[in-house]
Amino acid sequence: MLQVALSRFQIFVVLLALLATSCSLGARPPQMTSTLIVAGSHIDITVDDGKLNVPQADLIAWIQAAAESVAGYYGRFPVPHLTLRIMPFSGHGVRHGMTFGMRGGFIKIGLGSDTTKAELMNDWMLTHEMIHLAFPSVADEHHWIEEGISTYVEPIARIRASHMKEEQMWADLIRDMPKGQPQPGDEGLDRTHTWGRTYWGGALFCFDADVEIRRQTQNKKGLQDALRGILDAGGNITQDWELTKALKIGDQATGTTVLTDLYTQMKDKPVTVDLQEKWKQLGIEWDGSAVHLRDDAPEAAIRRAITGVTSPASPSADASIQSASKAIAVMAGRKSS
């Protein structure tokens, strides 16, 4: 009797194990992994378990568009290797992007299960997160510069890669840039950590610096040159730097002291930027429903240089944008269970 009972028990254990394995496989489909090569850098993509209606080809196209925008602006992709983790959720859109210096560069970002191709190709968040890779990690009180650069550079990078219209960027900036102006009780960018001052105050600093660098260099240099200089000196997200070091290196790249001077002015006291005068000088007019760009404005050439449009008939003047974004290969469709 003991022999028979033992055999039945063993059979029961085996059946339970098989059932558990079957349930596990049914509830946990395999992950999709792919590798995207942009300008010599490897982007390893993992999609977590979950439903996504968008085809894999559209998913890769979305990531490629963001990566080529960033590579074009900086002349190369900011890190040699990026790990990108996509986390499906129920609904539409792209949410909750976060970027870290670990693993040589790591981004996790949420993607709605019902997101369409059109929504993906209109997304700004992944480009925003990838731009974070191109600046060193700084102390918490300087978080505004990290978010400000990503907020300001993102639309410019997308315009230069032909993924966004110039008019849309200026309309968005006219609407949103005032959110970065100091409010009552403000104590400067380093001491005021509201959402508006962190994201749009930082973007306001970048915009003001971009225009001033171009004024002082007769439009030969801009914020792009400063940021490329910082990246070329090794200042990506994997590095911890003092902010003053990064700004000094950026100034050296433009032959000015604009970044350092602006930081001295704005770090611990409120400074209001005259946006209306800047729009006027740059030739950006808002009629209440649309933006009109005037090429007879005093600083229209600066406006065009910021977005890479050197003349009304020329969409882009930076050849490095084209060469950086063309070197792309995709190896997609591997499965790992």
Side-chain angles (χ1 to χ4, degrees):
M1 291 292 293
L2 184 58
Q3 181 74 33
V4 174
L6 186 59
S7 295
R8 288 176 179 171
F9 178 75
Q10 288 172 333
I11 292 170
F12 180 68
V13 170
V14 171
L15 288 173
L16 280 179
L18 289 172
L19 179 61
T21 301
S22 176
C23 291
S24 176
L25 289 175
R28 185 178 176 82
Q31 295 177 327
M32 185 276 282
T33 65
S34 303
T35 297
L36 181 66
I37 302 176
V38 178
S41 294
H42 286 66
I43 302 174
D44 288 339
I45 306 154
T46 300
V47 180
D48 284 1
D49 302 336
K51 177 186 175 183
L52 283 179
N53 289 331
V54 65
Q56 182 177 330
D58 292 344
L59 195 68
I60 294 296
W62 164 55
I63 298 166
Q64 177 178 323
E68 72 180 11
S69 297
V70 175
Y73 186 85
Y74 285 93
R76 60 187 174 91
F77 198 71
V79 294
H81 178 263
L82 169 66
T83 301
L84 174 61
R85 177 184 174 190
I86 299 170
M87 301 172 294
F89 65 87
S90 179
H92 285 265
V94 182
R95 303 178 191 171
H96 310 305
M98 297 185 71
T99 304
F100 307 90
M102 65 182 71
R103 306 182 195 175
F106 173 57
I107 293 175
K108 62 179 183 178
I109 196 163
L111 179 61
S113 58
D114 298 319
T115 303
T116 65
K117 178 180 179 179
E119 289 172 326
L120 278 181
M121 299 313 294
N122 196 43
D123 168 63
W124 58 268
M125 187 173 291
L126 185 55
T127 305
H128 177 104
E129 295 303 323
M130 287 183 176
I131 290 168
H132 279 309
L133 300 167
F135 196 79
S137 297
V138 293
D140 288 347
E141 63 264 30
H142 309 312
H143 188 51
W144 58 268
I145 189 68
E146 297 172 335
E147 294 299 346
I149 289 170
S150 280
T151 300
Y152 178 68
V153 169
E154 168 263 311
I156 296 173
R158 291 171 63 208
I159 289 168
R160 287 169 173 253
S162 301
H163 297 308
M164 183 178 181
K165 297 294 185 183
E166 179 184 14
E167 291 80 2
Q168 181 184 343
M169 168 186 154
W170 294 116
D172 290 347
L173 292 189
I174 287 174
R175 179 194 65 203
D176 292 328
M177 200 68 88
K179 299 173 185 175
Q181 298 278 31
Q183 301 299 312
D186 189 279
E187 297 182 352
L189 290 171
D190 278 354
R191 299 179 179 180
T192 308
H193 305 301
T194 62
W195 175 86
R197 286 292 268 164
T198 298
Y199 285 81
W200 287 104
L204 191 59
F205 174 93
C206 292
F207 172 53
D208 204 11
D210 205 353
V211 172
E212 187 58 31
I213 291 169
R214 293 186 179 282
R215 284 173 177 166
Q216 292 190 18
T217 63
Q218 291 73 53
N219 212 14
K220 295 176 182 177
K221 301 282 186 179
L223 181 66
Q224 180 187 32
D225 299 280
L227 295 178
R228 284 186 175 189
I230 294 167
L231 180 61
D232 289 345
N236 64 33
I237 196 171
T238 67
Q239 304 300 308
D240 293 318
W241 281 16
E242 291 290 335
L243 176 57
T244 52
K245 173 184 176 180
L247 299 181
K248 182 178 179 180
I249 290 174
D251 280 338
Q252 290 171 348
T254 64
T256 72
T257 59
V258 169
L259 295 177
T260 302
D261 293 345
L262 273 182
Y263 177 59
T264 300
Q265 296 169 27
M266 294 183 169
K267 66 179 180 178
D268 55 8
K269 55 182 176 292
V271 175
T272 300
V273 177
D274 189 346
L275 287 171
Q276 294 305 314
E277 181 62 22
K278 285 191 181 294
W279 306 140
K280 180 180 178 181
Q281 292 298 313
L282 293 170
I284 305 166
E285 294 182 352
W286 173 253
D287 67 5
S289 60
V291 157
H292 304 279
L293 303 179
R294 297 183 59 92
D295 289 310
D296 59 349
E299 295 181 340
I302 288 179
R303 184 198 74 232
R304 294 193 296 267
I306 287 173
T307 56
V309 180
T310 57
S311 69
S314 175
S316 177
D318 194 340
S320 66
I321 292 172
Q322 305 300 327
S323 61
S325 62
K326 280 182 179 178
I328 294 175
V330 178
M331 298 170 288
R334 300 196 306 273
K335 296 284 187 178
S336 63
S337 56

